[in-house]
Each structure stands twice: as structure tokens, then as C-alpha cells.
Amino acid sequence: KMAGSSAPWIGSAYLFLQSTCKSIVLPSLYESSQKKPSVFKALKLALADSTGSVNGVDMLKVHCSHPHLIVQLKFCKQENCRRFLQSYREGALQVSLQNHLQLSLAMTTVPLEMELKAGNEHLDNMLTDEDRCLECIYREKPDRLRDEEITELEECFKSLIVHQSINNNMAVKACMSLNSPSLPYPSQGSSLSPQVTFIFQGQQFANRTLTLDDHQKFAKLVSKKWKQVGRSLQKNCRALRDPVIDNLALEYDREGLYEQAYQLLLRFIQSEGKKATIARLIAALEENGLISLAEELLGLHSSEDCS
């Protein structure tokens, strides 16, 4: 029935997740703007592990239904769905997701309970009959396109993978199969701010949204003063309130100053979107005496020393 048709194999299922630890409430973590990207990253990587490809299964929406986090999944190939079912049945998906959540959220352990449904069918009751599970998933066609929020999180995830592969040479194997990864930055030099120009050192500069190049230069050159810059930016950026900056310092302590500074500016860019402009960053750098770094970002010299 499934293989006989020339139409593509498409099916849908819902993955129900709940932590067995009372102090870890997955829906609350996902609803937190600071933790959401970390939870999404863990889900994405665990699902990639289960199918062997970052594109093996698509997340359409994540529902918060306390105490469950419910992930709506879409499969576009039967073999990917089969691999996913095998990983789920053998407990490999559960272990992978627990590990990725533990790393992403910097927690000691994140014990999970999982349940898989397709329509009204509880697939946990028929996991040994793989063909029947496939049939149930195939029968359930996705009832929605991918949620806008998921699309935004996908973009951030892709940029993170690209960033890791460039700077740490430790990107997950899955990143190799990403199709032309797009970054959460507008096109280079686009003037999107109502403040079209700004003055620095008596010169006028065009205001623009921050680019990947700005982001990497800042992380490389700001050194120990990244926290002070963060506190200057936090005055009009709610996503950088004090606990966030301190948490970043702890969370990325092992990775060092580059990663701490990179994550700080990533929070700013994710939170402010088109309002994350070069003028705001330059003002924060000026406030903290980082004139050399400001000049570097504005292309006034090519010095490598900034402190």
C-alpha cells in the first residue's frame, strides 16, 4: 500500500516528553526565551542522531502542555522513519536526548519519559510491529506547515553549527548535510534602523544591523571586558539582564573568553533582531573605553590588538 504509490512517503507523529525530575519542567524551560534555543538544539541533535541525518525528520511545532513538551514530527522518507522507530524502540533516542539536554542546559542529569502517538494510536503499544507503526505514521498526514518560531530557531541552530565548525572544528557531523545554512543576520550592511547614521570620533557612519563578521571580531577582540559591554547593552535590552550575563560566564567558562563574548552578542542579536545595530554596539564599546575595537568594527584600521 505504502510503497506501491509514486507519491512521496510522508507521515506525521507526536513525541510526548516529560522529565521524571520534579525540579525540571520541560515546558517551562521551553517557554523561557533564554532556555528555548538550548532545548531546541538538544531536540534537533537527538533527532538527527536517531535518523542519521539532520534533515531526517522535521519538527513542525513544539507544544507546551504541562507537564509535557509535545513535538510534532514530519517524516518525508520511509527509511528515515524506520530508523527513528528503531532508535526510539531501543532507547537510543531517549539516551541521546537526555545527554543533549544535559549539555545544552548545563545540568547534571535530565531524566525523561517518552511517549509516541500517531493520531489516536499509541505506538508504544506496538513498537515490535514496525510495519504497523510505519502504517499509522503514514496515515497521519501533517496538518500544518512548519511553525514560524521553529523556522527562527532552525536559523539560529544553523548559525551556531557553522560558528562551531569555524571556530572549534568540532561541529556535529550532521552539519555537513545542511543546505546552504542561513545565518540570523540580515544581508551585509542593510540599513534597517530608524537612526540612519551615527557619529563616532567626529565622523559620520551609516548605521546598520550587526553582521556575522562584526560578531566574530567582537568575540575575538573584546577579551575580559565582554561583561562590561554586556552591562552597557543591557540598559535597553531585556535579554541581557544581570543573571543572564553571570549565567553565560558560568555556562561557557570552560570554552573561554571568545565563546562567552560570542554567546553574549548572540543573545543580543536574537533578542533585538533588526534593532541589533552597529551604533548600539559602538556606543557600548565607547562607554567602556574600547575605542580600538570600535575602530576595528568600523573598518578604520586593521589592528589585531584590542583590549
Side-chain angles (χ1 to χ4, degrees), residues 203-303:
Q203 290 186 56
Q204 195 170 40
F205 292 89
N207 196 14
R208 55 177 175 75
T209 45
L210 294 169
T211 64
L212 176 60
D213 190 49
D214 299 327
H215 196 164
Q216 291 178 332
K217 278 183 180 173
F218 171 80
K220 181 183 173 188
L221 301 172
V222 70
S223 192
K224 292 177 182 177
K225 288 198 175 178
W226 69 270
K227 273 190 176 183
Q228 287 100 303
V229 176
R231 294 207 166 92
S232 295
L233 289 171
Q234 82 180 181
K235 291 170 190 171
N236 50 12
C237 176
R238 291 179 62 200
L240 293 180
R241 283 176 296 198
D242 261 333
V244 176
I245 294 173
D246 293 335
N247 288 343
L248 286 175
L250 289 169
E251 195 174 340
Y252 296 97
D253 182 47
R254 285 186 184 178
E255 284 88 342
L257 292 172
Y258 178 97
E259 193 62 31
Q260 290 169 330
Y262 189 95
Q263 292 295 330
L264 172 85
L265 206 56
L266 183 63
R267 296 290 193 286
F268 179 66
I269 290 166
Q270 286 175 341
S271 156
E272 298 296 297
K274 293 174 183 179
K275 294 177 186 171
T277 61
I278 189 74
R280 289 174 71 181
L281 182 56
I282 294 298
L285 294 174
E286 272 194 287
E287 195 173 303
N288 292 284
L290 293 165
I291 304 303
S292 183
L293 174 48
E295 290 172 348
E296 178 74 29
L297 291 176
L298 294 172
L300 295 179
H301 61 64
S302 56
S303 126

Side-chain angles (χ1 to χ4, degrees), residues 123-135:
L123 301 186
D124 297 75
N125 301 332
M126 56 176 93
L127 287 173
T128 50
D129 190 345
E130 199 171 274
D131 287 335
R132 190 178 163 203
C133 287
L134 284 167
E135 183 70 55

